[in-house]
Amino acid sequence: MTVFHFFNCAILTFGPHAVYYSATPLSEYDTLGTSIKAAVVYLATALVKLICLATFLKVSESDSFDPYQEFLKALIGFIDVAGLYFALTQLTHRNISQNHKFQAVGLGWAFADSVLHRLAPLWVGARGLEFTWDYILQGLEANANLVLSISLAALGSLM
């Protein structure tokens, strides 16, 4: 039963990405390479964010509000926007329209985010002995993140 729960949660987490790719004209225009390039850019930006967070932010002993630390967190958060803009403008894309390019980049970005943040917890936790709703909620969160990533890519393509 635990393997069944794992497969249900994995399909809920990663299935909408495959459905979106096959249901839209992205599969007809062969934009898989663009999505893979966007996923690689996401992995690079996640690594840069990780290094910046570990280098510039300090761990506070108290729960007091530090405006400088919060400003740094917000500034480091813009690395995602810069990476998405780089993926939209600087990567070489085959002869695809702007409409399909932002969809392919957003899909690759969202899939890489799902793999990076949800695959290991899903693999370790969803195969456990007891049922929890946490992994189903992670799958729903991945679906919301898919919409967010494609919307952010659409916004970035308008710039």
Side-chain angles (χ1 to χ4, degrees):
M1 195 67 171
T2 59
V3 175
F4 182 69
H5 178 57
F6 167 73
F7 282 125
N8 280 336
C9 294
I11 289 171
L12 180 63
T13 303
F14 302 112
H17 299 86
V19 169
Y20 184 83
Y21 183 78
S22 62
T24 58
L26 294 178
S27 59
E28 296 173 8
Y29 291 103
D30 193 30
T31 58
L32 188 63
T34 303
S35 295
I36 291 171
K37 288 177 188 176
V40 169
V41 170
Y42 176 79
L43 293 175
T45 57
L47 181 66
V48 169
K49 274 180 60 174
L50 181 69
I51 291 170
C52 289
L53 285 171
T55 303
F56 299 120
L57 293 180
K58 62 179 182 177
V59 178
S60 65
E61 291 81 24
S62 64
D63 289 335
S64 63
F65 181 76
D66 187 9
Y68 177 71
Q69 293 292 316
E70 296 300 322
F71 176 72
L72 279 177
K73 285 180 191 176
L75 196 62
I76 291 171
F78 277 109
I79 293 174
D80 278 336
V81 177
L84 194 57
Y85 183 74
F86 175 80
L88 284 168
T89 59
Q90 301 299 320
L91 291 180
T92 57
H93 305 285
R94 295 177 45 195
N95 296 324
I96 57 175
S97 68
Q98 188 73 14
N99 186 22
H100 298 111
K101 181 167 58 171
F102 86 81
Q103 288 180 357
V105 168
L107 181 66
W109 196 269
F111 185 74
D113 180 68
S114 291
V115 167
L116 194 64
H117 291 108
R118 293 173 186 89
L119 183 63
L122 188 65
W123 180 258
V124 171
R127 296 184 317 151
L129 294 177
E130 63 184 29
F131 173 82
T132 62
W133 286 94
D134 296 337
Y135 305 104
I136 294 174
L137 294 176
Q138 274 187 355
L140 294 175
E141 182 185 1
N143 296 337
N145 193 24
L146 174 64
V147 173
L148 175 73
S149 296
I150 292 173
S151 301
L152 190 60
L155 185 65
S157 71
L158 293 176
M159 293 175 26

